[in-house]
C-alpha cells in the first residue's frame, strides 16, 4: 500500500518550523519597552492617502482598544509565546 503525505503531517511540519519564530517573538515581546511599541504603532498607523469609508474607523477603534490592552500585557504574552513554542517543539519533534 502506498503511503503519501497526509494533511496532518504537513500541519505538523509547518508548526514545527514555526516554533522557533514564535520563541523569537516571545523574547522580543519581553525585551521591547511599551513606549517603543506605541511609537511603532503610531508610525505604522499614519494614513498614506486615499478615502476612508465610514465603516473602517469604527472597526479600527475596536482593534485599537484591543491592541492597547495587549500592549499592557506584553510580558504575559511574551512568556506565553515562549512556553507555547517550547511545548510545540517538544510534542511535534517526536
Amino acid at each position: 500500500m502506498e503511503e503519501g503525505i497526509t494533511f496532518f503531517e504537513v500541519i505538523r511540519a509547518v508548526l514545527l518550523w514555526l516554533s522557533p519564530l514564535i520563541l523569537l517573538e516571545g523574547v522580543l515581546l519581553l525585551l521591547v519597552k511599551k513606549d517603543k511599541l506605541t511609537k511603532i504603532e503610531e508610525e505604522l498607523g499614519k494614513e498614506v492617502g486615499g478615502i476612508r469609508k465610514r465603516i473602517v474607523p469604527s472597526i479600527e477603534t475596536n482593534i485599537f482598544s484591543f491592541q492597547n490592552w495587549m500592549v499592557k500585557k506584553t510580558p504575559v504574552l511574551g512568556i506565553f509565546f515562549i512556553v507555547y513554542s517550547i511545548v510545540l517543539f517538544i510534542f511535534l519533534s517526536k
Side-chain angles (χ1 to χ4, degrees), residues 2 5 18 43:
E2 288 186 34
I5 298 175
L18 285 178
E43 288 295 321

Side-chain angles (χ1 to χ4, degrees), residues 24-93:
L24 180 65
E25 179 65 29
V27 170
L28 287 175
L29 281 175
L30 285 176
L31 295 177
V32 174
K33 305 249 188 268
K34 292 178 186 176
D35 58 341
K36 295 273 187 181
L37 287 175
T38 55
K39 183 179 177 184
I40 290 171
E41 179 58 34
E42 288 173 2
E43 288 295 321
L44 293 176
K46 290 181 181 176
E47 186 175 343
V48 177
I51 301 171
R52 287 188 165 191
K53 295 181 181 178
R54 290 187 178 260
I55 299 171
V56 175
S58 63
I59 293 174
E60 285 179 356
T61 57
N62 291 338
I63 292 172
F64 191 66
S65 63
F66 178 68
Q67 182 183 2
N68 283 337
W69 178 81
M70 287 187 67
V71 166
K72 293 176 187 174
K73 308 285 185 191
T74 52
V76 175
L77 287 173
I79 292 170
F80 174 75
F81 281 6
I82 291 171
V83 170
Y84 179 68
S85 67
I86 292 170
V87 168
L88 269 180
F89 187 75
I90 288 172
F91 284 123
L92 296 179
S93 63

